[in-house]
Amino acid sequence: MTWQQKIDDALTLRRSADALRRRYVVTQGAGRWLLAEGRQYLNFSSNDYLGLSHHPQIVCAWQQGAERFGVGSGGSGHVSGYSIAHQALEDELAQWLGYSRALLFISGFAANQAVITALMGKDDRIVADRLSHASLLEAASLSPAVLRRFTHNDPQHLARLLSAPCPGQQLVVTEGVFSMDGDSAPLAEIHAEAQHQNAWLLVDDAHGIGVSGEEGRGSCFRQQVKPELLVVTFGKGFGVSGAAILCSDSVADYLLQFARHLIYSTSMPPAQAQALRAALAVIRSREGDERREKLAMLIQRFRAGLDIADFTLANSDSAIQPLIVGDNHKALQLAEVLRAQGCWVTAIRPPTVPVGTARLRLTLTQAHECQDIDRLLEVLHGAGQ
Ligand SMILES: *Cc1c(COP(=O)(O)O)cnc(C)c1O
């Protein structure tokens, strides 16, 4: 087989399974509206849950940060790329979430890769929820540690896997709010099972942070659980991008020595850190409460209005409201119908989700208005008939 055949075969296979992924060029992709291909759509595909991506104070903080620090950080944080802006953001995050330390990463993907690669060796075992994000499962399967997956949100199955003898350390991995299902993990039970076996817990709260809990502290705070390792990302509720790991002093010191994604990579621009500080201030303020309340109201409106004769209501009180269709082709078709009616939605197919559970992943955001939700429901019910 030649290189060309190898590439062509892989593409043909994807295409024939209706699983080919494509990108759309958008003129504007975050916020209430999505502009693409010369048309305006109501946007039900954005993770900008609190509508912060265009927030004037946050935009201004980034602009002023760029004027003060320049547009780039100039290096890895271990060389010259760790500024007073990075340090201030780390301190504010740690204080907000009740940890000794926070370490910044350029993305959630990098943070998950870094923490798992730096901590896990060949005698160790990772026990991860089966539906964990690709960045976690990919890091876990590339790591020399043994990977076991427990049934989604099933602490009993987790307990059984943890009780098997393990020569090294065990790390339990789950998410606060699951990215493709919108449901929450039973964190207290999961943490109790982990502690029972002296395992540590890593929670990736990409979809909970900023959006739920008092002052937007997320899923762990809401469930009164303090995992040993907490990953938060800034591309969703914060409306920006980047990530942080929250941990103890000694783990932070360890990661600074052994996390290659920190050491061998340019740190985020200081101006971005300034924008993130402004986003954090909004999230913690009264305005943040108001934004979360509006989002909760819109979620409630959607769930109350969905006709369950046509669609199955997901077990989700988050901004992620998936409609599970099953078949790839059907999911693509439904997404097309919605788009033709002016609602931008994405069909999510395997391998992102388990085979036979292709779905529309609808996301609601604070930037929507009641009439947008009503329009979505109207179009969905028209398509479902
Ligand atoms: C989006 C996401 C990530 C990746 O974060 P980025 O900052 O976008 O790289 C990691 N984990 C979960 C659960 C996510 O949903």
Side-chain angles (χ1 to χ4, degrees):
M1 187 159 71
T2 64
W3 263 109
Q4 196 58 49
Q5 278 167 329
K6 173 186 158 89
I7 304 291
D8 290 346
D9 286 356
L11 288 173
T12 304
L13 201 64
R14 273 276 161 103
R15 205 173 284 118
S16 61
D18 275 321
L20 201 67
R21 294 175 158 123
R22 64 160 291 194
R23 302 186 297 177
Y24 295 87
V25 183
V26 301
T27 316
Q28 185 187 306
R32 182 180 179 194
W33 301 104
L34 181 142
L35 308 178
E37 301 174 341
R39 223 187 128 180
Q40 173 171 288
Y41 300 84
L42 277 170
N43 185 2
F44 295 104
S45 278
S46 157
N47 293 330
D48 180 15
Y49 302 127
L50 295 177
L52 296 182
S53 65
H54 291 78
H55 193 290
Q57 272 158 257
I58 303 171
V59 171
C60 180
W62 195 317
Q63 288 167 335
Q64 289 180 348
E67 273 161 33
R68 180 169 167 200
F69 296 101
V71 290
S73 68
S76 148
H78 284 64
V79 184
S80 56
Y82 183 63
S83 71
I84 52 172
H86 295 101
Q87 185 185 43
L89 175 60
E90 287 184 347
D91 290 349
E92 287 161 12
L93 289 167
Q95 190 261 332
W96 176 48
L97 295 170
Y99 282 80
S100 302
R101 297 276 284 282
L103 294 178
L104 297 175
F105 288 80
I106 53 160
S107 72
F109 201 101
N112 285 336
Q113 302 282 309
V115 70
I116 287 176
T117 345
L119 288 172
M120 305 309 289
K122 76 172 177 23
D123 288 338
D124 302 327
R125 178 157 64 207
I126 299 167
V127 190
D129 187 290
R130 190 167 275 289
L131 297 188
S132 298
H133 191 260
S135 57
L136 294 162
L137 290 177
E138 164 124 342
S141 55
L142 292 177
S143 115
V146 171
L147 168 63
R148 293 274 176 270
R149 299 163 197 236
F150 64 95
T151 309
H152 179 51
N153 282 348
D154 183 348
Q156 274 76 48
H157 189 211
L158 167 66
R160 281 204 300 285
L161 295 178
L162 283 172
S163 65
C166 171
Q169 308 305 318
Q170 300 199 83
L171 181 68
V172 176
V173 171
T174 191
E175 293 180 28
V177 173
F178 282 84
S179 54
M180 294 300 145
D181 293 79
D183 57 344
S184 300
L187 294 175
E189 287 163 85
I190 286 175
H191 200 208
E193 296 301 348
Q195 283 177 323
H196 189 61
Q197 298 288 347
N198 294 318
W200 276 7
L201 173 62
L202 182 160
V203 175
D204 175 346
D205 201 23
H207 299 277
I209 199 71
V211 187
S212 72
E214 193 191 332
E215 282 190 29
R217 290 189 181 98
S219 308
C220 296
F221 191 82
R222 190 164 87 156
Q223 299 191 40
Q224 297 294 306
V225 170
K226 187 178 173 188
E228 286 75 15
L229 300 160
L230 171 62
V231 172
V232 298
T233 71
F234 306 131
K236 284 132 190 176
F238 273 69
V240 189
S241 79
I245 294 177
L246 285 295
C247 58
S248 68
D249 274 314
S250 56
V251 172
D253 290 341
Y254 176 95
L255 290 174
L256 284 171
Q257 297 309 312
F258 299 108
R260 310 165 72 80
H261 299 70
L262 277 183
I263 302 166
Y264 299 108
S265 187
T266 303
S267 63
M268 71 168 64
Q272 182 182 340
Q274 293 290 74
L276 286 166
R277 294 178 67 198
L280 178 58
V282 172
I283 283 169
R284 296 187 72 170
S285 70
R286 263 240 43 179
E287 182 190 336
D289 288 336
E290 285 160 12
R291 285 176 180 263
R292 283 183 286 275
E293 279 157 25
K294 182 177 172 201
L295 176 60
M297 181 273 291
L298 294 170
I299 294 166
Q300 184 48 37
R301 190 179 183 94
F302 174 78
R303 291 180 63 80
L306 190 73
D307 187 343
I308 54 169
D310 289 334
F311 297 100
T312 311
L313 204 55
N315 174 28
S316 159
D317 62 359
S318 72
I320 303 160
Q321 293 290 329
L323 297 179
I324 306 218
V325 178
D327 176 67
N328 284 4
H329 186 66
K330 264 203 312 281
L332 282 175
Q333 253 181 345
L334 189 56
E336 275 311 314
V337 172
L338 265 74
R339 261 182 218 167
Q341 306 278 324
C343 292
W344 191 274
V345 300
T346 321
I348 307 275
R349 290 154 289 157
T352 307
V353 293
V355 173
T357 70
R359 66 198 65 189
L360 297 188
R361 178 180 182 269
L362 304 174
T363 50
L364 310 182
T365 76
Q366 183 275 348
H368 289 124
E369 298 300 338
C370 288
Q371 72 248 35
D372 304 342
I373 307 299
D374 297 346
R375 174 68 187 150
L376 172 64
L377 287 166
E378 183 189 352
V379 171
L380 273 173
H381 292 143
Q385 276 152 15

